[in-house]
């Protein structure tokens, strides 16, 4: 890691432990530091860590990061109010709901604004979908889109977004929990409520790991916030390790969990790191919150390289982008669930849509064909080391 990257990680480590930075090293690259704060959504976290050394920090950097912090704090206050308004309405209406990820994780940070979230994920009961949509309309929320997995709605004035999920077990967890398992049968009602559901801590942690693994496999990386979530959750709760590992073995995430906990402890507990952990740490720092765009094409090819040689893997990856797997096509075009014979027609429909709305997609196909051997070798090693070649 560079001096600036080490300082960034140290700031994050101090802040999530409610501590402050006392020493500012020479030679900081403030442009790189600002970019790290922005791409990892860690501006508020870093700013809080710098409280005791602001006079030693470049004023222009502090001014720039302060703007980001002010924006995040305002959004956090407004979204907290909007979220409680919506969840209270679910409770009063007698509709089942289960707040997910960020709603619970924000409470583990020294202050809630340190864990920025652009939306609120809530599991709803698909059997109550009509009633949920009626409530959404009554609350004055607008609809961004409906799809098979969720309704995405928002307050037009405050822009607070709600993702109303119909299932939470997607990607690596779908096969483990079952396609028809929407989530409520793995949960219990929270004390003091009638309709507020929550997962057991081990299952919540598995869903958290599954979410990170899914994004890592799909987008070639995730940012450091995924590690702070994992680290703080493990520090906050004592989990049944035997049961946890047994379940992780079943859904193929045990290796991912072990490697992510290793890199989290390397960053935040100064534990000694092996060669792979150091490579993974570097990769995560070079990623953004939910992606590593520079390695995305290499990761797409690497996903197929474990089954064939690199040249054929490129061709297979391009082919799969042109003709999506049947299950993905069914998700995009639900009519195919009843009339799979129409699949060839909808492949044409999809590409007509892609060419009209996302012409850059053609360039992405070319990027996969032009993946450099070193980048491909790197992503093969990262994916294999995390145990996510099956994703």
């Amino acid at each position: 890691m560079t001096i600036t990257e080490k300082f960034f990680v140290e700031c994050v480590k101090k802040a999530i432990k409610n501590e402050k930075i006392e020493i500012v090293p020479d030679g900081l690259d403030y442009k790189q530091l600002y970019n790290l704060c922005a791409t990892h959504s860690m501006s508020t976290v870093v700013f809080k860590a710098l409280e005791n050394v602001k006079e030693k920090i470049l004023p222009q950097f502090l001014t720039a990061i302060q703007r980001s912090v002010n924006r995040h704090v305002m959004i956090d206050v407004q979204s907290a109010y909007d979220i409680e308004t919506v969840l209270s309405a679910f409770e009063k209406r007698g509709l089942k709901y289960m707040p997910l990820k960020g709603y619970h994780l924000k409470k583990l940070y020294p202050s809630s604004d340190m864990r920025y979230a652009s939306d609120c994920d809530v599991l709803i009961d698909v059997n109550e979908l009509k009633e949920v949509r009626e409530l959404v309309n009554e609350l004055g929320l607008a609809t961004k889109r409906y799809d098979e997995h969720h309704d995405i709605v928002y307050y037009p004035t405050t822009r607070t977004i709600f993702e109303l999920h119909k299932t939470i077990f997607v990607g690596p967890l779908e096969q483990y929990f079952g396609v028809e398992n929407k989530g409520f049968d793995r949960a219990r009602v929270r004390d003091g409520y009638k309709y507020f559901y929550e997962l057991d801590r081990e299952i919540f942690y598995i869903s958290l790991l599954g979410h990170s693994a899914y994004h890592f496999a799909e987008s070639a990386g995730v940012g450091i916030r995924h590690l702070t979530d994992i680290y703080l959750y493990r520090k906050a709760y004592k989990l049944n390790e035997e049961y946890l590992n047994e379940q992780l073995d079943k859904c193929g995430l045990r290796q991912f969990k072990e490697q992510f906990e290793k890199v989290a402890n390397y960053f935040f507990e100064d534990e000694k790191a092996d060669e792979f952990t150091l490579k993974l740490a570097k990769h995560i720092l070079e990623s953004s919150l939910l992606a590593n765009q520079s390695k995305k094409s290499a990761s797409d090819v690497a996903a197929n390289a474990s089954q064939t040689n690199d040249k054929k893997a490129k061709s297979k990856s391009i082919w799969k982008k042109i003709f999506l797997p049947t299950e993905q096509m069914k998700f995009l075009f639900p009519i195919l669930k009843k009339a799979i014979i129409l699949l060839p027609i909808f492949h044409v429909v999809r590409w007509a849509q892609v060419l009209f709305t996302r012409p850059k997609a053609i360039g992405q196909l070319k990027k996969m064909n032009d993946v450099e051997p070193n980048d491909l070798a790197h992503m093969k090693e990262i994916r294999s080391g995390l145990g996510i070649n099956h994703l």
Side-chain angles (χ1 to χ4, degrees):
M1 288 192 288
T2 66
I3 292 172
T4 304
E5 287 171 336
K6 288 180 180 177
F7 184 68
F8 170 71
V9 172
E10 185 69 14
C11 287
V12 174
K13 179 179 77 172
K14 291 288 189 183
I16 64 174
K17 294 182 177 183
N18 206 19
E19 299 174 356
K20 309 298 178 187
I21 288 286
E22 300 296 339
I23 299 175
V24 178
D26 295 329
L28 284 179
D29 181 337
Y30 282 99
K31 182 178 180 180
Q32 183 187 22
L33 184 58
Y34 180 82
N35 287 336
L36 285 166
C37 292
T39 56
H40 291 267
S41 197
M42 283 284 155
S43 297
T44 303
V45 173
V46 170
F47 189 77
K48 288 181 182 292
L50 297 175
E51 186 175 313
N52 294 345
V53 292
K54 288 180 180 178
E55 71 283 355
K56 300 177 183 178
I57 300 293
L58 186 71
Q60 293 93 320
F61 170 80
L62 286 176
T63 300
I65 202 172
Q66 177 76 70
R67 291 196 199 102
S68 179
V69 171
N70 291 343
R71 185 170 65 252
H72 283 180
V73 170
M74 289 177 63
I75 291 173
D76 185 65
V77 171
Q78 181 62 59
S79 65
Y81 176 80
D82 290 342
I83 289 166
E84 289 308 314
T85 297
V86 171
L87 297 187
S88 295
F90 269 85
E91 185 73 25
K92 291 175 182 176
R93 187 62 61 90
L95 298 173
K96 293 162 70 174
Y97 62 104
M98 186 197 301
L100 305 171
K101 301 192 299 285
Y103 179 86
H104 300 284
L105 294 169
K106 285 171 74 71
K107 296 174 172 62
L108 303 181
Y109 287 74
S111 61
S112 64
D113 57 320
M114 292 171 66
R115 209 282 186 179
Y116 175 71
S118 59
D119 53 41
C120 177
D121 298 279
V122 182
L123 181 70
I124 60 172
D125 186 342
V126 290
N127 296 319
E128 300 174 342
L129 184 58
K130 180 182 177 182
E131 293 84 353
V132 168
R133 288 178 175 171
E134 288 174 354
L135 178 60
V136 162
N137 289 333
E138 288 177 23
L139 291 170
L141 289 115
T143 301
K144 187 173 182 180
R145 83 165 188 264
Y146 293 158
D147 60 39
E148 186 179 39
H149 284 165
H150 45 36
D151 286 6
I152 302 179
V153 299
Y154 64 96
Y155 274 114
T157 51
T158 64
R159 313 305 292 181
T160 302
I161 298 172
F162 294 85
E163 292 192 5
L164 304 178
H165 291 258
K166 299 160 190 175
T167 177
I168 56 173
F169 302 126
V170 296
L173 301 179
E174 190 173 81
Q175 185 175 358
Y176 167 60
F177 286 108
V179 176
E180 297 304 320
N181 188 317
K182 305 304 180 184
F184 284 103
D185 57 350
R186 304 290 306 213
R188 55 183 172 76
V189 177
R190 173 178 274 197
D191 291 343
Y193 293 82
K194 291 183 178 180
Y195 303 99
F196 185 137
Y197 282 74
E198 56 188 2
L199 296 168
D200 288 339
R201 286 171 181 166
E202 288 80 8
I203 300 298
F204 183 94
Y205 191 51
I206 291 171
S207 71
L208 181 61
L209 291 166
H211 178 254
S212 293
Y214 175 75
H215 278 293
F216 203 109
E218 287 290 304
S219 303
V222 293
I224 199 170
R225 197 186 75 186
H226 285 250
L227 295 178
T228 58
D229 284 349
I230 285 169
Y231 175 77
L232 290 172
Y233 195 82
R234 292 307 321 250
K235 295 288 285 185
Y237 304 116
K238 182 175 178 59
L239 304 181
N240 183 327
E241 295 296 325
E242 182 178 353
Y243 172 76
L244 176 64
N245 288 331
E246 178 185 290
Q247 301 309 306
L248 287 168
D249 283 336
K250 289 180 181 179
C251 58
L253 289 175
R254 172 95 172 259
Q255 188 174 338
F256 182 86
K257 169 250 189 188
E258 291 174 348
Q259 295 298 345
F260 254 55
E261 287 183 354
K262 273 187 182 180
V263 76
N265 288 331
Y266 166 62
F267 278 151
F268 309 132
E269 291 292 341
D270 299 322
E271 287 191 4
K272 188 175 181 180
D274 56 29
E275 183 179 353
F276 178 76
T277 300
L278 292 174
K279 287 184 179 180
L280 179 58
K282 185 175 187 296
H283 183 91
I284 288 172
L285 285 176
E286 291 173 352
S287 301
S288 61
L289 182 58
L290 295 175
N292 186 322
Q293 294 300 337
S294 66
K295 296 288 190 298
K296 178 70 170 70
S297 297
S299 182
D300 288 340
V301 176
N304 298 298
S306 60
Q307 302 138 14
T308 183
N309 62 50
D310 292 353
K311 185 175 181 180
K312 289 182 179 179
K314 289 183 179 182
S315 299
K316 187 174 181 179
S317 301
I318 292 171
W319 188 258
K320 285 174 71 173
K321 287 294 181 183
I322 295 174
F323 298 102
L324 292 180
T326 301
E327 288 306 309
Q328 284 184 258
M329 289 296 290
K330 287 180 180 178
F331 170 71
L332 293 173
F333 305 102
I335 192 175
L336 294 175
K337 293 178 181 180
K338 297 180 179 179
I340 194 63
I341 195 172
L342 299 176
L343 181 62
I345 295 174
F346 277 94
H347 276 302
V348 176
V349 170
R350 172 180 168 266
W351 266 101
Q353 292 176 344
V354 168
L355 292 173
F356 182 73
T357 61
R358 293 185 290 123
K360 291 182 179 179
I362 299 297
Q364 292 170 352
L365 296 179
K366 185 176 185 303
K367 283 182 180 180
M368 280 192 283
N369 191 56
D370 295 340
V371 167
E372 294 292 333
N374 287 343
D375 289 337
L376 180 55
H378 171 77
M379 284 312 306
K380 285 168 68 175
E381 182 181 6
I382 293 293
R383 290 178 66 98
S384 178
L386 288 173
I388 57 173
N389 280 333
H390 62 294
L391 303 184

